[in-house]
């Protein structure tokens, strides 16, 4: 057995980058990223809801791709770059957020940070997605109050806005 | 909101073995106090719902060398067990040569979960959505038994799923290329003339309770080839869904070989699926519903293969 395989300490120092800033968080290796973001870093824009990856309220970007922070464990985030909704709006409203506001892509707003994060991950890798690609990218984000019409309009508007901005 | 296992759990220790042998020894040492973990997405669901207890030890398989890549092997495509479901879903060779695997993975969870979940974890669960599709290509699995790497068909692996110890460690999945994809020279020319008169077909369906990101009620795949006269040259029929371990209907497959697909044969297919498919009932769908659904899906796909 190698030394590395023996590294199963009860505490774990998670070193990663969150919203552009290097962080070292003393935790346990199996702690959920969601818990660390909300309770340790007090970045409460990332929402807790289903705890099993079904609703998407806790979505964050890991290396630029959307993942459920309720499923990711601390050791899986080591060395990674994590972006939360606070990171997306660090320099002011992101055009995706503006599009959600203008198109009424929310009602209670609880799912909205996760929606924004998923759309950000999609458009950063695929600036001109098809309807099917949008549907697939948002298939892990559930809205239980306003329906999806406004959300789809917001995504379309965000795509157009990003195109015009180029 | 879930039961918040995180809030009440004693945090398990996480081990990071570098080799399959190390992982195996750790499992032997900790026994039922431990589980192998790949992406951990299914485990988290089980812990939160109370289906499984949180173990004292997690044996993380992600650091084992060579399990995180997709490569072309001697007889087919070799997919490491630690490759994410999303990486498989978007891999160009899988899209081109094994399209119903791509389709199965497109319908598995959501992209955000597929980036964490792995193909090895999906298979090791015995109920993953990828299984009927992989069975449709006669996939093989390579696993470690504590002494050596063993290769068996996925179909055999699933048949003995409940009989082997949980220590068995899945390493790779192998998807054999079709014969015409591996031959060269005059063999290719001969085969092309045969293939030009042969129609290949494949289809995958996942029936759930909502359109996207839903647990499977019935999962079905059918693949094979037909002659010019619509005779079945080869066929694989695989069914899963719910908590049922996916299975191939090999008895029915043998009955169909050499037969012409017509209305009478489709009736036979329908009736035999009603007999042979053994789904499990749950709160959401009866056995009868699942059987009927599967029989309709396979019969309709065979009809399409013969007539479209």
């Amino acid at each position: 057995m190698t030394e590395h395989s023996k590294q199963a300490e009860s505490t774990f120092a998670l070193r990663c980058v969150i919203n552009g800033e290097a962080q070292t968080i003393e935790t346990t290796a199996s702690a959920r990223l969601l818990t660390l973001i909300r309770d340790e870093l007090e970045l409460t824009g990332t929402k807790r809801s289903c705890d099993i990856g079904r609703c998407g309220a806790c979505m964050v970007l890991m290396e630029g791709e959307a993942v459920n922070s309720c499923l990711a464990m601390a050791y899986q985030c080591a060395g990674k770059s994590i972006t939360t909704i606070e990171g997306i709006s660090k320099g002011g409203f992101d055009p995706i957020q503006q599009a959600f506001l203008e198109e009424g892509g929310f009602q209670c707003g609880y799912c909205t940070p996760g929606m924004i994060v998923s759309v950000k991950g999609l458009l950063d890798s695929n600036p001109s997605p098809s309807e099917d690609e949008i549907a697939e990218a948002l298939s892990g984000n559930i809205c239980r109050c306003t329906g999806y019409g406004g959300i789809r309009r917001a995504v379309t508007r965000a795509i157009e806005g990003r195109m015009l901005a180029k | 909101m879930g039961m918040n296992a995180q809030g009440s759990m004693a945090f398990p220790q996480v081990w990071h073995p570098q080799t399959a042998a190390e992982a195996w020894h750790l499992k032997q040492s900790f026994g039922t106090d431990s589980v192998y973990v790949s992406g951990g997405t299914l485990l988290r669901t089980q812990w939160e719902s109370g289906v499984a207890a949180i173990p004292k030890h997690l044996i993380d398989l992600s650091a084992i060398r060579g399990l995180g890549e997709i490569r072309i092997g001697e007889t087919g495509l070799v997919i490491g067990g630690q490759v994410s479901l999303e990486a498989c879903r978007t891999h160009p060779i899988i899209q081109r040569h094994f399209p119903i695997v791509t389709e199965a993975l497109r319908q598995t969870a959501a992209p955000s979960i597929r980036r964490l979940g792995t193909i090895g974890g999906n298979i090791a669960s015995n109920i993953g959505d990828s299984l009927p599709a992989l069975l449709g290509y006669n996939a093989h699995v390579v696993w470690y038994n504590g002494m050596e790497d063993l290769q068996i068909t996925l179909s055999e692996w699933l048949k003995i799923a409940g009989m082997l110890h949980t220590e068995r460690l899945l390493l790779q999945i192998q998807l054999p290329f079709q014969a015409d994809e591996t031959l060269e020279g005059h063999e290719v020319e001969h085969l092309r003339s045969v293939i030009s008169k042969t129609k290949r077909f494949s289809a995958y369906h996942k029936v759930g309770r909502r359109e996207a990101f839903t647990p499977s009620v019935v999962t079905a795949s059918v693949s094979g080839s037909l002659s010019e006269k619509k005779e079945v040259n080869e066929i694989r029929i695989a069914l899963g869904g719910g908590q049922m371990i996916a299975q191939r209907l090999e008895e029915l497959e043998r009955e169909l070989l050499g037969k012409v697909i017509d209305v009478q044969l489709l009736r036979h297919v329908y009736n035999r699926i009603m007999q042979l498919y053994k789904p499990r009932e749950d709160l959401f769908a009866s056995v009868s519903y699942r059987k009927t659904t599967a029989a309709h899906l396979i019969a309709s796909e065979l009809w399409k293969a013969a007539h479209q």
Side-chain angles (χ1 to χ4, degrees), chain B residues 13-267:
Chain B
Q13 288 192 306
V14 183
W15 299 78
H16 306 284
Q18 303 283 295
T19 66
E22 286 180 10
W24 176 270
H25 287 303
L26 286 166
K27 192 78 182 78
Q28 294 295 307
S29 300
F30 299 131
T32 54
D33 285 337
S34 65
V35 293
Y36 293 129
V37 57
S38 295
T41 53
L42 179 62
L43 290 174
R44 174 65 63 185
T45 306
Q46 294 171 339
W47 298 338
E48 293 291 342
S49 65
V51 170
I54 299 169
K56 291 179 182 171
H57 301 275
L58 296 179
I59 303 168
D60 166 36
L61 304 179
S62 65
I64 297 178
R65 289 180 286 275
L67 302 191
E69 60 186 32
I70 299 176
R71 62 181 173 80
I72 296 175
E74 289 180 11
T75 58
L77 195 66
V78 178
I79 307 173
Q82 296 303 298
V83 177
S84 76
L85 294 167
E86 187 65 0
C88 294
R89 148 96 174 93
T90 56
H91 196 276
I93 296 178
I94 296 177
Q95 288 178 345
R96 181 177 173 190
H97 295 279
F98 309 103
I100 63 173
V101 172
T102 301
E103 178 58 19
L105 296 177
R106 188 186 70 79
Q107 297 187 47
T108 301
S112 55
I113 295 173
R114 296 198 296 260
R115 293 184 185 111
L116 294 171
T118 64
I119 189 75
N122 199 258
I123 291 170
S125 75
N126 296 325
I127 56 170
D129 289 341
S130 68
L131 290 167
L134 293 168
L135 287 169
Y137 292 115
N138 199 26
H140 288 60
V141 295
V142 177
W143 62 290
Y144 183 73
N145 71 350
M147 292 177 289
E148 59 184 339
D149 296 354
L150 299 174
Q151 180 177 324
I152 58 173
T153 65
L154 176 60
S155 184
E156 291 300 319
W157 163 276
L158 292 170
K159 280 178 191 170
I160 57 176
M163 293 149 58
L164 279 179
H165 297 297
T166 54
E167 283 82 353
R168 68 177 179 167
L169 177 54
L170 182 67
L171 302 176
Q172 294 174 342
I173 302 93
Q174 298 184 355
L175 287 168
F177 289 123
Q178 301 294 335
D180 51 313
E181 293 162 336
T182 54
L183 298 180
E184 293 179 352
H186 69 278
E187 288 177 309
V188 171
E189 291 308 313
H190 170 68
L191 207 58
R192 275 184 184 151
S193 69
V194 175
I195 289 167
S196 66
K197 297 169 186 169
T198 300
K199 178 179 182 180
R200 289 203 172 279
F201 64 92
S202 62
Y204 173 91
H205 289 280
K206 174 180 174 180
V207 178
R209 289 181 292 117
R210 58 192 285 263
E211 186 175 351
F213 190 8
T214 180
S216 163
V217 172
V218 173
T219 314
S221 84
V222 57
S223 58
S225 64
L226 303 179
S227 71
E228 268 186 312
K229 296 175 182 173
K230 298 178 185 174
E231 295 162 334
V232 177
N233 284 342
E234 59 176 318
I235 187 163
R236 282 182 285 275
I237 298 169
L239 296 169
Q243 293 301 304
M244 175 199 160
I245 297 175
Q247 63 175 124
R248 262 179 70 183
L249 303 189
E250 292 172 9
E251 199 177 328
L252 175 58
E253 292 169 6
R254 285 192 292 274
E255 292 167 6
L256 298 180
L257 287 177
K259 303 278 175 58
V260 174
I261 293 186
D262 56 17
V263 173
Q264 190 180 352
L265 191 73
L266 293 180
R267 281 203 189 99

Side-chain angles (χ1 to χ4, degrees), chain A residues 54-143:
Chain A
R54 293 289 183 273
C55 72
C58 69
M59 206 71 79
V60 298
L61 298 178
M62 184 185 289
E63 301 292 321
E65 295 186 318
V67 299
N68 302 75
S69 63
C70 71
L71 296 177
M73 290 183 265
Y75 77 89
Q76 295 171 312
C77 305
K80 301 285 175 61
S81 175
I82 312 290
T83 305
T84 69
I85 187 68
E86 290 88 349
I88 289 174
S89 58
K90 214 171 181 179
F93 258 5
D94 187 276
I96 298 170
Q97 293 173 297
Q98 190 66 37
F100 269 72
L101 280 170
E102 291 172 358
E103 291 294 345
F106 61 93
Q107 187 167 307
C108 83
Y110 200 80
C111 70
T112 310
M115 292 276 181
I116 302 279
V117 168
S118 287
V119 175
K120 173 80 172 162
L122 170 67
L123 299 189
D124 282 355
S125 63
N126 181 3
S128 186
S130 67
E131 286 290 313
D132 284 349
E133 288 169 334
I134 295 169
E136 186 176 354
L138 288 178
S139 64
N141 293 82
I142 292 174
C143 171

Side-chain angles (χ1 to χ4, degrees), chain B residues 262-277:
Chain B
D262 56 17
V263 173
Q264 190 180 352
L265 191 73
L266 293 180
R267 281 203 189 99
H268 177 74
V269 168
Y270 184 95
N271 290 331
R272 291 292 278 150
I273 290 174
M274 295 296 283
Q275 292 169 353
L276 297 171
Y277 177 41

